[in-house]
Amino acid sequence: MPADPPHRAGKPQRSTTSQPPSGSGASPIEVRRSARRRRTVSAYREGDRTVVLIPARMSEAEEQRWVTVMLDKLAAQENKRVLGDTELEERAQRLSEQYFDGRARPASVRWVTNQNTRWGSCTPAEGSIRLSHRLQGMPDYVVDYVLCHELAHLLVPGHGPRFWRLLEAYPRTERARGYLEGVAAADRLPHAPGPQDE
């Protein structure tokens, strides 16, 4: 996600600033709405605050959802550390112990670069789990969710009610799914034209 430069002169924008919860250590968040911005959402740090740029037409609910997505994206960029396959496998084992009583036992867990339409996959017969390299740098709870999702497939192959009940053990399932849906939606939005397009 490219960081946008500070707003250039032009049509006025509507801006709101909110303070993070006290004691959270997070910076204030300023949301700038622009009539010129049609579909894209972006964010950047400006001094001690985080600025999120959104289209003026967005509803309050969309604004809240996008602020969360963009804060997570910025945090992931700033804390980018890529786990190797060995660390990923150790992490999967810890998650299996924590949420599935150690019953999900993968034979291998690794990053792959050939999964561009899914976040992860599992082959229960082989006990292999593969995660898309696109997850690298995303927040830990998102990677953990995808690992838990694939670990659950070692116990229940399909996506029926039994599978989803099993996955409810991971407490951040809904938040992680929302994050991934936001990332997928952002990927489908047209990108702002670059200098070569002007």
Side-chain angles (χ1 to χ4, degrees):
M1 172 203 64
D4 275 8
H7 176 66
R8 292 184 290 275
K11 290 185 180 177
Q13 301 182 91
R14 194 164 42 106
S15 179
T16 58
T17 302
S18 62
Q19 295 295 324
S22 60
S24 69
S27 62
I29 301 156
E30 181 178 344
V31 176
R32 294 181 186 167
R33 291 175 171 264
S34 170
R36 292 187 315 159
R37 183 174 286 270
R38 296 286 179 220
R39 301 180 77 161
T40 60
V41 176
S42 60
Y44 60 93
R45 304 286 189 205
E46 186 178 78
D48 67 343
R49 73 181 54 238
T50 301
V51 178
V52 180
L53 305 171
I54 64 171
R57 63 170 173 72
M58 274 195 182
S59 69
E60 293 297 320
E62 288 174 312
E63 174 184 319
Q64 289 176 2
R65 184 174 65 80
W66 276 106
V67 166
T68 300
V69 167
M70 299 312 284
L71 288 175
D72 284 342
K73 275 186 128 176
L74 278 176
Q77 285 179 340
E78 292 165 353
N79 300 321
K80 211 170 228 182
R81 60 182 177 81
V82 177
L83 299 173
D85 288 348
T86 302
E87 294 138 324
L88 196 61
E89 194 163 336
E90 290 169 357
R91 192 167 180 169
Q93 289 170 357
R94 282 194 306 274
L95 290 167
S96 177
E97 290 294 330
Q98 187 172 0
Y99 298 110
F100 306 115
D101 299 320
R103 293 179 295 132
R105 295 189 184 107
S108 68
V109 183
R110 62 190 172 92
W111 296 108
V112 293
T113 58
N114 63 350
Q115 290 191 22
N116 294 316
T117 59
R118 45 174 44 178
W119 299 112
S121 63
C122 173
T123 307
E126 299 172 4
S128 62
I129 291 175
R130 294 159 305 280
L131 295 192
S132 171
H133 72 287
R134 296 178 305 140
L135 289 165
Q136 292 175 337
M138 287 192 188
D140 288 346
Y141 75 90
V142 175
V143 176
D144 286 352
Y145 162 72
V146 176
L147 278 171
C148 283
H149 186 107
E150 302 310 332
L151 286 166
H153 277 310
L154 291 176
L155 304 172
V156 180
H159 286 105
R162 191 168 153 244
F163 172 84
W164 292 110
R165 277 195 303 274
L166 189 61
L167 198 53
E168 285 174 1
Y170 182 64
R172 300 183 87 179
T173 290
E174 288 307 312
R175 183 171 183 203
R177 289 184 70 190
Y179 181 92
L180 292 171
E181 286 170 8
V183 170
D187 286 345
R188 288 190 299 269
L189 291 174
H191 297 288
Q196 70 277 11
D197 301 323
E198 294 176 350

